[in-house]
Amino acid sequence: MALDVRGLTFDVLRAHGLTTLFGNPGSTEISLLTDLPNDLTFILGLHEGSVVGMATGWAIAHERPAAVILHTTAGLGNAVGALATARVNRAPLVVIIGQQDRRHLAFEPFLTGRLDGLAGDYPVWVGQPTHAADVPGAVGRAVHEARTGHGPALVIVPMDDWTVPVEEGATLAAPDVVRSTARPDPDVVAELADLVNGASNPAIVVGSGADSPAAWTALTALADRLSCPVWQEAFGARAGFPQDHPRFAGHLPAGRAALRQALSGHDLVLTVGAPIFRQYHFEPGPLLPPGTRAVVISQFAEEIHRSPAELAVHADPGLVCAALVDAVTEHPEPAEPIRRKPVPIPPYEGLLLPEHVFTELAERLAPDTILVEESPSSRPLLHELVPAREPLGFVSAAMGGLGFGLPAATGLKMALPHRPVVAVMGDGSSIYGIQALWSAAHYGVGALFVVMSNGAYAIMDWLASEKGHGKAPWPQFTEVSMSGLATSLGCPAIRVTDLDGLREQLDAIVPTLGERTEPLLLDVAVGTL
């Protein structure tokens, strides 16, 4: 039988034991509450303060979340005082708030609620699902947010969402079970180990939250014990595993179809220090291949609460993985070892390409180099050709907006003056943070800024042409001189236009990076994609 949003949401509530619903209904909740299934009980309160108060007592008594249904602005407004009390009483509540029909919200019809923010800071979390299909996952996440935050978590749902059909096998943005442990609880470790030991072909996915010496040590030991591949999350801002390790399989793709293909054959994916899974362009279908189970370990609650995992562990990844090494059964080596395809390097024919720049850097950079990246069009090549070999070996902007690389590299070198710091930038990216060069020069920050100048937003040009969006309206900006901008800000700069010149400059500069106290910008002329 095909489910709709309402039916799937009821399944989520059942899974978490929220079968008693406290409410004072209005017209925006009619489609949710009429013809309730027999296993769900509705408790009427004659005022929203009573509704939330009863749910608060229920939650305190049972030491788990209680479910509340409120009616748009009037219902939430009447309940604010009681919600504040629930927060201070540390009572976990899952509060579903009705909203007018999504299809005409733009016209602000009668009973439209301006609901986000109406309860002030008292909710521990507020979710407004963008699409009807996101409602069940948002309710599931609210359960975990209420538990972790010890207070009311709100979900705002337009009234027409409840009858929208849900695609079979839809992925909900919430885990089934969350465990929290300050230190590795033996029972939690045993629960993790049972899932891992039950898998015949596990895989590990790592992310920025695993970028620490302790996590790297634990994860290399765990990967060896499981004889399994280790993938880096897509768009990871830091490396969660040594990328020159023989078990490193590469970076996960950011599209669902390619992601399923990459993880096909694995019956369990253990994700450490990252959510499941970061995407870029939307693609339909599930995140994981059919039959693949998912487990996530992260120290960040907001990551695990939106991860579609069978088990989510909110804890320090390094400590949990270190305990897990001794708890899991050793797996035999796979018949087919990991074989990463080498990146073809086009011959140099008078025009430098990013592949040439990265190859030359890889041959010279010390293992403890901190590589800061902000070159969107060539980032995949950089990952393949210049691996992170030590913790904090790779740093990038987690959000994706431009302007991070130059100032971040400057700050990293200020904080760690004896580690080599190299920023690999596009010229378009550099312009967003170019002012940081003045600070680098003024305060004697010896970072190397390698700016690949093509006078274009190469990633945007590629997206416009490859994705079939038509002719781009933006012009190139070849008249902008990165070396000229650098020198005007007091930062020494050298223009490089050929391979011999690049090699000469890198041979002179790279050996000095550990103790260098003067910044340098290499303005490297490269071809466009």
Side-chain angles (χ1 to χ4, degrees), residues 171 319 346 367 423 487-488 513:
T171 302
L319 293 176
T487 55
S488 73
L513 290 177

Side-chain angles (χ1 to χ4, degrees), residues 114 129 268 281 295 331 385 392 442 460 523:
R114 297 181 182 180
L268 178 79
H281 298 290
V295 177
H331 281 52
L385 294 172
L392 204 60
H442 186 78
M460 295 298 297
D523 181 6

Side-chain angles (χ1 to χ4, degrees), residues 47 50 63 74 272 476 512 516 524-525:
H47 183 275
S50 297
E63 297 185 336
V272 181
Q476 294 190 335
T512 72
R516 191 178 181 89
V524 183

Side-chain angles (χ1 to χ4, degrees), residues 281-360:
H281 298 290
F282 173 75
E283 292 180 6
L287 286 171
L288 290 168
T292 301
R293 306 168 81 179
V295 177
V296 61
I297 304 168
S298 174
Q299 67 271 54
F300 302 117
E302 65 270 21
E303 287 189 348
I304 64 172
H305 287 168
R306 69 174 186 267
S307 293
E310 183 172 332
L311 174 64
V313 178
H314 181 204
D316 181 280
L319 293 176
V320 172
C321 289
L324 194 56
V325 172
D326 296 327
V328 298
T329 304
E330 188 170 3
H331 281 52
E333 289 288 345
E336 288 291 328
I338 300 166
R339 291 191 180 92
R340 297 179 63 195
K341 294 181 180 179
V343 177
I345 307 299
Y348 174 68
E349 296 178 343
L351 179 66
L352 282 170
L353 297 173
E355 293 95 320
H356 304 138
V357 179
F358 300 157
T359 300
E360 299 301 324

Side-chain angles (χ1 to χ4, degrees), residues 179 181 183-194 311 313:
R179 307 284 187 225
T181 173
R183 292 191 173 275
D185 183 294
D187 291 338
V188 174
V189 174
E191 190 174 5
L192 280 168
D194 285 344
L311 174 64
V313 178

Side-chain angles (χ1 to χ4, degrees), residues 457-474:
Y457 290 126
I459 185 64
M460 295 298 297
D461 294 339
W462 180 82
L463 288 171
S465 61
E466 292 296 316
K467 299 298 181 181
H469 293 300
K471 186 179 185 298
W474 48 84

